[in-house]
Each structure stands twice: as structure tokens, then as C-alpha cells.
């Protein structure tokens, strides 16, 4: 009924600031958005660090291809596109071209090589373009910032690194 967290979230779209078993508290995300707005309002000055680009490539269907540019602790741009079923080579060609252009500008590109990402990676390797594959299912020896937590695979480690990046008490929280 009214006032119950389930009712508030499903009917009124009010979500609790904190919950049990939450990896990244919504409050941390909201604070990161505010830090980003402050950065943008201050003139969006680029940090003096290398630009990194992460790319998750999808085919047609419910998923979107997503590219995220990051400089230091600032997410500077997000590009998303959902492909239509009629698009066969279009996603491969467009994404390969975009990544090739970014590498030419000195951007460090990482991508998910599973599925359609394998085709993009192969196409770029044939052209001598260096991008870094990140297989999220692979095992990892990486640990959290404290050095205490171990992770089953790269995916789990990346999710934890994202949590650490959003932590407003961290050394350099993301914006």
C-alpha cells in the first residue's frame, strides 16, 4: 500500500537513497552528476590526462552500442546507438571507422571483443589499428583499492572499480 517502499518505487517512481545489497548507492550517482554539472558549468576544462574510450558493441535488437569517453575522473561524452535489423555491415563499418579515428587522435580505446565486437576488433587489427580487448568473462588477479578483495572475473572487478570511482570519499571521485 501507500508509503511502502515497493509501492513508492513501482507506482510513484520514488526510489530509496540506500538499500541493502546495493553496489553503488543512488546518492553517490547523484553526487557524481552534480560534480559533472559543476565541471560543465566551469567551462568543461579537459584534465591533462590521456583520453580513454570504452566501447561495448551490439548488433540489432534490444541492446545499444555504447561508447564512453573519459579523461581522468571526468566522463566527457557518451554515444549510444540501437541498430535496426536491416543493418548488417553498418554497425561494423561505422564503429570501426569511429574507433580508427579516435586512435588516430591518440585516444586509448578498449572494447568488448565478444560477439560482434570480435568483428570490429579483427577489422581494425587488419588495418594495423591498436585497440585493447577487454574480455569481461576472463579470470583476474586484480584486487580492490585496499588489496583485500579478490574477484571472480574481469566483469566483477570492473563493477567494483566503478563503485570505487563513484565513492564520494574516494581520492578522485568520478564526475
Amino acid at each position: 500500500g501507500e508509503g511502502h517502499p515497493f509501492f513508492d518505487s513501482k507506482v510513484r517512481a520514488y526510489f530509496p537513497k540506500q538499500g541493502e545489497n546495493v553496489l553503488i548507492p543512488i546518492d553517490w550517482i547523484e553526487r557524481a552528476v552534480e560534480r559533472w554539472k559543476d565541471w560543465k558549468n566551469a567551462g568543461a576544462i579537459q584534465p591533462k590526462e590521456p583520453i580513454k574510450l570504452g566501447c561495448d558493441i551490439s548488433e540489432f535488437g534490444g541492446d545499444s552500442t555504447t561508447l564512453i569517453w573519459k579523461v581522468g575522473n571526468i566522463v566527457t561524452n557518451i554515444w549510444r546507438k540501437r541498430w535496426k535489423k536491416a543493418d548488417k555491415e553498418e554497425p561494423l563499418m561505422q564503429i570501426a571507422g569511429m574507433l580508427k579515428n579516435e586512435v588516430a587522435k591518440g585516444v586509448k580505446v578498449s572494447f568488448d571483443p565478444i560477439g560482434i565486437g570480435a568483428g570490429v576488433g579483427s577489422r581494425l587489427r587488419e588495418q594495423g589499428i591498436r585497440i585493447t580487448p577487454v574480455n569481461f568473462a576472463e579470470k583476474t588477479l586484480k584486487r580492490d583499492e585496499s588489496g583485500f578483495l579478490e574477484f571472480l572475473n574481469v566483469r566483477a572487478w570492473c563493477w567494483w572499480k566503478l563503485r570505487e570511482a563513484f565513492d564520494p570519499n574516494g581520492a578522485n571521485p568520478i564526475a
Side-chain angles (χ1 to χ4, degrees):
E2 246 180 278
H4 188 274
F6 184 79
F7 179 88
D8 288 345
S9 66
K10 298 297 181 187
V11 176
R12 298 185 186 268
Y14 298 144
F15 298 98
K17 295 287 183 191
Q18 182 66 34
E20 291 183 32
N21 301 319
V22 173
L23 184 65
I24 304 171
I26 190 74
D27 180 55
W28 291 9
I29 296 169
E30 290 170 347
R31 288 164 80 177
V33 169
E34 289 306 313
R35 287 189 297 273
W36 186 86
K37 287 178 181 176
D38 290 345
W39 168 78
K40 193 76 168 168
N41 290 336
I45 297 167
Q46 297 290 323
K48 303 270 190 258
E49 298 176 49
I51 300 171
K52 295 179 181 178
L53 168 61
C55 180
D56 185 14
I57 305 162
S58 73
E59 219 168 0
F60 51 84
D63 291 337
S64 295
T65 293
T66 304
L67 282 67
I68 297 179
W69 286 260
K70 183 174 165 283
V71 182
N73 68 326
I74 307 289
V75 173
T76 59
N77 193 21
I78 299 174
W79 182 90
R80 296 183 67 169
K81 179 159 183 171
R82 184 170 284 145
W83 306 102
K84 296 180 181 125
K85 193 169 185 170
D87 300 332
K88 297 270 186 202
E89 289 294 309
E90 172 81 16
L92 283 174
M93 299 302 290
Q94 185 173 351
I95 298 303
M98 288 173 72
L99 297 181
K100 183 178 178 180
N101 290 339
E102 292 299 316
V103 170
K105 292 189 269 185
V107 174
K108 297 180 183 215
V109 176
S110 299
F111 75 107
D112 182 352
I114 304 302
I116 194 168
V120 171
S122 294
R123 189 157 294 191
L124 291 173
R125 276 193 302 279
E126 288 169 1
Q127 298 174 24
I129 308 297
R130 298 193 65 187
I131 59 176
T132 304
V134 179
N135 185 340
F136 293 97
E138 284 183 353
K139 292 184 181 197
T140 185
L141 298 175
K142 306 252 186 200
R143 292 177 175 259
D144 71 325
E145 284 180 355
S146 72
F148 180 73
L149 294 178
E150 296 177 344
F151 301 94
L152 175 68
N153 55 27
V154 173
R155 178 179 295 107
W157 176 73
C158 284
W159 275 108
W160 194 262
K161 292 302 289 180
L162 187 60
R163 180 193 198 295
E164 290 176 339
F166 273 106
D167 185 347
N169 298 315
N172 199 13
I174 198 166

